Amino acid sequence: MVSQEQRRRQLAREKFLRQQQRRTSARRKARMRNSVIASVLGVVVIGSVALYTTGVLKNDDTKTNASADVTPSATPSSKAPDPCEKPAAGSIKKETWKKEPAMSIDTSAKYTMKIATTCGDIGIALKTSAAPHTVNSFDFLAGKGFFDHTKCHRLTTNGIYVLQCGDPTGVGSGGPGYTIPDENLKDASLKGNKYPAGTVAMANTGQKHTGGSQFFLVYKDSPLPPSYTPFGTIDAAGMKVLNKIAAAGENTGAGDGAPNATVVINKATVTKS
């Protein structure tokens, strides 16, 4: 027979078990509720990110273009067909040098440079006597195959009108490892802070004597200060190639970006006339 004390203990145990069951059930419901809330919040966050990346939640203001020579107000247009061929087989050479090459050209002779690109050949008459360090450097680099298989990485179509090439990295940060002095900045063609169409000039960092291997080809008169060594003039056939590249536009729609045309230098050669 169950005593009164045993019955009391049994009832206490049953009450404790009921309390534990209620607590366990409450915790389970709380976990389920929190899981649902987290899922809903996750959908909201993901949706917000998607809207932001597609521009719905973006502020209408755009970043100011870092270059004062280019107006960033143009709106993107549909990409034009690529007018160029596939690049020739081969790889970019990554060799660099610590010092500018010793002078090896005949500064009294005439030199020409031929840039065979995927879009056509660009012939350039080099200004040897006016820019001997620059021409000597290009003769050296071309002889080493430095420019071969490199992309022309920048096209500007608003404000200034140039195609920039000569960077083995393809992003505007590469060079041969050495720099050359500025030359020919008082060239008769650079009147009124303007680089006329057909000019080939050195790119630089904005500081004096910081030219390396990057250069730009002007396909339309461009307002620029005389700070970039002019060292060559493009022939008529080369201008047609440049205009074809320019007509395809660049990839930002703002007037300064990578060309839509696949502009790759298959081979660059410098020849003494």
Side-chain angles (χ1 to χ4, degrees), residues 54 82 150 223 231 271:
T54 55
D82 189 342
T150 61
F231 68 97
T271 306

Side-chain angles (χ1 to χ4, degrees), residues 80-85 117-121 155 163 219 237-249 259-263:
D82 189 342
C84 303
E85 303 295 330
T117 79
T118 49
C119 309
D121 292 348
L155 178 71
L163 175 69
Y219 63 89
M239 289 302 295
K240 289 182 180 179
V241 172
L242 280 177
N243 287 320
K244 178 173 66 174
I245 294 167
N260 288 329
T262 306
V263 193

